Amino acid sequence: MEAKAEGNKYSIIVPTFNERLNIALIVYLIFKHLPNVNFEIIVVDDGSPDGTQEIVKQLQEVYGEDRILLRPRPKKLGLGTAYVHGLKHATGNFVVIMDADLSHHPKYLPSFIKKQMETSASIVSGTRYVKGGGVHGWNLMRKLTSRGANVLAQTFLWPGVSDLTGSFRYYTTTIIISFTKKSVLEDVINSCVSKGYVFHMEMIVRASRKGYHIEEVPITFVDRVYGSSKLGGSEIVEYLKGLLYLLVTT
């Protein structure tokens, strides 16, 4: 994989909010699992009050400002706009989006790269719901909630992928649309209207409807070690609303 990856550059966009306890470890693990790969990590921090940005600046001193790019925003403005903001500063021809809370282990990144090279996919998505995938650290209720959400979406939206609510994904940066160069990620985001928990489901459904070639890699999702989960009852309600919206509009 490493030899074939020569000549490519990978931009890893990591949105953060209050991830001071996690960001150093996730950066260390990315460097550990991509030892001979040309990549940059773009941290889009939404004004974290816990000192996340100070930790990132310390990481820049260790790894270099060319490898760790801090591109902050003044406040929380939504995941979609965080990705677009990070994309403006990306110089790679492939883009990875992943969480900073250690739920997405960087050990899977080589598998994402390998899968894209083998299939020429526009998008490679991590999935918990095929052989080799799973979750760790969730109670039974959360497992049932996640599985139920995916079953509902599969039934009504038939997107052609097994894990719609995951957010560990890999995108080809440049495609040609009407003779204009565009990013796959930017093209998909620009077609989305959802916020919060339902956003990633809409992204993959819109990508499927647009005809993008999507492949999946099995991953084990690990519940965050530090900090609190951002999933609650309001997110579940929003998910159901989003499901109905996508059913009507796609």
Side-chain angles (χ1 to χ4, degrees):
M1 186 276 295
E2 292 169 357
K4 293 181 181 179
E6 185 176 354
N8 289 327
K9 184 175 183 180
Y10 304 87
S11 297
I12 304 171
I13 300 175
V14 184
T16 58
F17 184 76
N18 288 346
E19 297 292 357
R20 179 179 65 85
L21 297 175
N22 295 317
I23 189 63
L25 183 53
I26 199 74
V27 166
Y28 163 76
L29 289 171
I30 291 172
F31 274 88
K32 176 183 177 181
H33 290 284
L34 296 177
N36 299 309
V37 174
N38 184 16
F39 68 87
E40 62 188 2
I41 302 172
I42 304 170
V43 180
V44 180
D45 184 74
D46 279 358
S48 295
D50 73 338
T52 297
Q53 291 185 34
E54 285 68 27
I55 298 298
V56 176
K57 290 175 183 176
Q58 293 177 33
L59 292 169
Q60 288 179 318
E61 295 178 3
V62 175
Y63 295 102
E65 293 185 17
D66 60 326
R67 305 299 299 279
I68 310 291
L69 285 66
L70 176 60
R71 299 295 182 262
R73 304 191 298 173
K75 62 181 180 179
K76 295 184 75 173
L77 298 169
L79 268 178
T81 57
Y83 296 141
V84 171
H85 183 74
L87 195 58
K88 290 177 182 178
H89 303 280
T91 59
N93 52 321
F94 295 94
V95 173
V96 175
I97 59 173
M98 63 187 300
D99 294 344
D101 61 6
L102 304 176
S103 57
H104 299 153
H105 201 296
K107 68 182 180 182
Y108 296 110
L109 290 173
S111 297
F112 279 50
I113 294 172
K114 184 172 184 288
K115 174 66 74 171
Q116 195 283 328
M117 288 181 172
E118 292 175 344
T119 64
S120 298
S122 298
I123 302 169
V124 179
S125 183
T127 177
R128 298 159 285 183
Y129 301 121
V130 298
K131 184 178 180 181
V135 296
H136 179 75
W138 282 4
N139 59 31
L140 180 60
M141 181 56 67
R142 189 166 179 190
K143 288 181 180 178
L144 290 174
T145 300
S146 178
R147 175 64 80 173
N150 272 279
V151 168
L152 277 174
Q154 295 290 343
T155 301
F156 291 106
L157 300 176
W158 37 273
V161 293
S162 64
D163 192 342
L164 285 89
T165 56
S167 55
F168 192 5
R169 293 176 184 158
Y170 172 102
Y171 293 82
T172 301
T173 301
T174 304
I175 56 170
I176 304 296
I177 300 179
S178 299
F179 302 103
T180 302
K181 288 186 177 181
K182 292 189 69 174
S183 158
V184 172
L185 177 58
E186 185 177 11
D187 182 44
V188 172
I189 288 176
N190 287 342
S191 66
C192 294
V193 299
S194 303
K195 307 287 184 182
Y197 185 62
V198 75
F199 174 71
H200 287 290
M201 177 178 70
E202 181 174 5
M203 282 182 68
I204 207 70
V205 171
R206 298 287 185 190
S208 176
R209 297 296 190 269
K210 286 173 173 286
Y212 285 121
H213 178 186
I214 305 170
E215 293 284 343
E216 293 186 302
V217 168
I219 65 168
T220 297
F221 179 97
V222 180
D223 201 16
R224 64 163 50 244
V225 178
Y226 300 109
S228 58
S229 173
K230 301 173 178 66
L231 175 62
S234 61
E235 283 77 14
I236 295 173
V237 172
E238 288 303 311
Y239 172 84
L240 294 174
K241 290 180 179 178
L243 179 65
L244 291 174
Y245 171 79
L246 290 174
L247 179 62
V248 171
T249 61
T250 63

